Amino acid sequence: DGVNYLVAGPAGGRINKPTLKNKYMQSFDSNALTFTKIKYNNKTLRLETFNQDNIIIDQLFINL
């Protein structure tokens, strides 16, 4: 329906495995600590999720 959700990890906090099954979940790595950088420029919202090695593991671009 045109809705995007991003749930990022704890950025160095405790890792928990999800206890419920989610039919909308497309990717999950229970061993990765992550952080997400959010940028807005020229009507584009850009989200980049990095792992603890500073490698991009997911990204999303939304044109507004």
Side-chain angles (χ1 to χ4, degrees), residues 39-46 60-64:
K39 296 179 184 179
Y40 179 74
N41 190 4
N42 296 327
K43 298 187 179 182
T44 299
L45 185 63
R46 177 179 181 154
L60 173 67
F61 300 92
I62 301 173
N63 294 316
L64 305 172

Side-chain angles (χ1 to χ4, degrees), residues 25-42:
M25 184 183 304
Q26 293 183 11
S27 177
F28 180 77
D29 181 354
S30 64
N31 296 315
L33 298 175
T34 64
F35 65 94
T36 301
K37 186 188 308 185
I38 301 171
K39 296 179 184 179
Y40 179 74
N41 190 4
N42 296 327

